[in-house]
Amino acid sequence: MQNYDLSKRILVTGGAGFLGSHLCERLLNEGHEVICVDNFYTGRRSNIAHLLSNNCFEVLRHDICIPLYAEVDEIYNLACPASPIHYQFDPVQTTKTSVHGSINMLGLAKRLKIKILQASTSEVYGCPAIHPQNEGYWGNVNPIGLRACYDEGKRCAETLFFDYHRQHGIKIKIARIFNTYGPRMYPNDGRVVSNFIVQALKGDKITIYGDGSQTRSFCYVDDLIDGLIRLMNSDEDVTGPINLGNPQEVAVLDLGKKIIEITRSKSDIVFQALPADDPLQRRPDIAVAKEKLNWKPKVDLEDGLIQTIEFFEKLLKSGSSDIKIHS
Ligand code: NAD
Ligand code: UDP
């Protein structure tokens, strides 16, 4: 039964996106009221359609670059396109979402004297000179490259969070999220896991950028959401930044082969040019998350891929895989 004493009204920006929709669902299941704020730039109504009949769930179509007045107890700030093709489609808007959007959400947190969590990213480390990456590393980002709208926007958002914390006493939590995958990724958003699965299921060529020796560490969405909620509920002195990700590192070529194997696909592998500023390696050091949040990922890459492949199989069969974005 719902415990109304512990129930909070929680604002989730970017709540109609991949991670946001899973977060809204988990918070509702925990008995909270959730207000999902989204401008549907990359988010989709279908991600949250199953939540709309829940009386504790509200949706507001709103761009966080514009100030928002709402009465809530906590804010999770997830709004921002996360896939390179989407954040590079309108790079000025991407930076505005991270910078103006964060200022607006921090202003709301300041007025209400509430906690606010920022979905930051491993991209703040850029193409890292240390491996694995720990939170003390300041990063190696090209400030004028194609990825800078996202990386520098997120870095500036972290600066704003810390300055609001120091200057105004706002309670902040910063998660540095590493590559996350799972059901509700978009089939055509260009991220590696969704690309490879869709290509394998359709029998299309698997597109490896570069020679595929670059590495990433993939975290299953359920684990990541668990980490975000633990961070929000952590002791007040825990501000982060805290890495949240799965330290199981894999080369992109090996990921492609694994997906071909699991799907028993006949797809061939093709090699294409590596995009500019594509980081060569990425693996989180999660010692801080283990110590401060008692968190570590539980879902193994193969098990998570099987769940994700099942999702895409259903989506492709339903014929609804061509999704319009930037609406
Ligand atoms: P997503 O693109 O699926 O979701 C982003 C959501 O934000 C979408 O629903 C979009 O419509 C909304 N949005 C974008 N700009 C907005 C604006 N100005 N106002 C209101 N809503 C806006 O991406 P995701 O994978 O769910 O990522 C969510 C957050 O997590 C992002 O902030 C991203 O930077 C961060 N993150 C994600 C990953 C990952 O692997 N998925 C890794 C690191 C960080
Ligand atoms: N990648 C690839 N083929 C694809 C899509 C991506 O080889 O079809 C590579 C990409 O160059 C990068 C890695 O996979 O090295 C992860 O890409 P993604 O866009 O998923 O995330 P990010 O680069 O932001 O970590």
Side-chain angles (χ1 to χ4, degrees):
M1 208 177 92
Q2 187 164 324
N3 184 341
Y4 289 97
D5 290 341
L6 298 176
S7 165
K8 290 176 269 196
R9 185 179 300 149
I10 303 178
L11 182 73
V12 179
T13 77
F18 162 50
L19 296 183
S21 62
H22 283 277
L23 178 63
C24 289
E25 190 173 324
R26 271 285 288 278
L27 294 171
L28 286 167
N29 287 342
E30 288 184 4
H32 300 294
E33 284 180 46
V34 175
I35 304 182
C36 159
V37 166
D38 205 295
N39 68 351
F40 292 93
Y41 184 68
T42 51
R44 286 181 294 169
R45 289 180 71 80
S46 59
N47 283 343
I48 48 169
H50 62 297
L51 306 177
L52 293 174
S53 58
N54 188 325
N55 287 337
C56 293
F57 186 62
E58 281 176 67
V59 186
L60 187 62
R61 183 183 277 265
H62 175 85
D63 186 325
I64 61 159
C65 298
I66 297 162
L68 175 71
Y69 291 86
E71 303 306 315
V72 293
D73 302 311
E74 269 174 9
I75 304 171
Y76 286 84
N77 188 35
L78 271 65
C80 187
S83 156
I85 59 169
H86 294 329
Y87 69 64
Q88 290 169 20
F89 178 79
D90 184 349
V92 174
Q93 170 67 12
T94 299
T95 306
K96 277 188 187 168
T97 294
S98 281
V99 178
H100 294 195
S102 291
I103 290 172
N104 288 330
M105 290 306 111
L106 284 159
L108 182 61
K110 182 180 159 206
R111 177 174 70 79
L112 298 172
K113 300 186 176 57
I114 57 170
K115 262 188 287 186
I116 178 166
L117 180 148
Q118 168 66 356
S120 190
T121 169
S122 53
E123 287 285 316
V124 300
Y125 300 124
C127 190
I130 67 151
H131 194 69
Q133 294 77 55
N134 63 50
E135 295 84 348
Y137 178 51
W138 290 354
N140 177 30
V141 172
N142 173 1
I144 56 168
L146 293 178
R147 295 173 85 105
C149 59
Y150 183 73
D151 302 6
E152 297 291 14
K154 290 284 188 180
R155 287 169 68 93
C156 183
E158 288 198 9
T159 308
L160 285 162
F161 268 67
F162 267 89
D163 283 335
Y164 268 78
H165 174 63
R166 285 184 287 248
Q167 198 175 332
H168 300 298
I170 305 294
K171 295 172 204 150
I172 59 159
K173 308 279 178 187
I174 296 179
R176 288 189 180 152
I177 303 171
F178 284 63
N179 297 64
T180 302
Y181 70 101
R184 298 196 203 130
M185 292 186 91
Y186 313 139
N188 51 357
D189 86 351
R191 281 188 260 196
V192 67
V193 173
S194 45
N195 265 14
F196 287 180
I197 292 178
V198 172
Q199 289 163 345
L201 291 176
K202 287 183 166 173
D204 294 345
K205 292 189 169 63
I206 306 285
T207 54
I208 306 283
Y209 302 158
D211 63 5
S213 62
Q214 72 272 34
T215 65
R216 295 291 186 273
S217 305
F218 297 98
C219 185
Y220 189 64
V221 62
D222 291 355
D223 282 333
L224 193 276
I225 298 300
D226 185 47
L228 287 182
I229 292 174
R230 278 173 190 252
L231 175 57
M232 180 61 108
N233 296 332
S234 59
D235 293 344
E236 195 172 322
D237 64 329
V238 179
T239 56
I242 293 192
N243 288 341
L244 294 179
N246 191 324
Q248 197 184 348
E249 184 179 1
V250 62
V252 164
L253 180 58
D254 293 335
L255 177 75
K257 288 180 180 164
K258 195 179 253 301
I259 289 174
I260 290 176
E261 185 191 309
I262 300 174
T263 54
R264 299 198 181 96
S265 171
K266 302 256 181 308
S267 291
D268 293 327
I269 286 176
V270 286
F271 294 91
Q272 299 184 351
L274 190 67
D277 295 334
D278 199 287
L280 295 178
Q281 53 183 4
R282 206 185 270 152
R283 170 154 59 99
D285 178 336
I286 59 164
V288 178
K290 279 184 182 160
E291 189 204 322
K292 303 278 183 195
L293 311 179
N294 192 22
W295 176 88
K296 64 174 184 195
K298 296 186 187 123
V299 182
D300 167 78
L301 181 61
E302 182 142 338
D303 295 338
L305 286 175
I306 291 169
Q307 304 279 332
T308 312
I309 288 165
E310 273 175 23
F311 164 79
F312 278 112
E313 272 172 338
K314 281 193 199 132
L315 192 77
L316 293 176
K317 272 191 199 132
S318 75
S320 57
S321 60
D322 287 330
I323 286 147
K324 285 204 181 69
I325 47 152
H326 309 140
S327 56

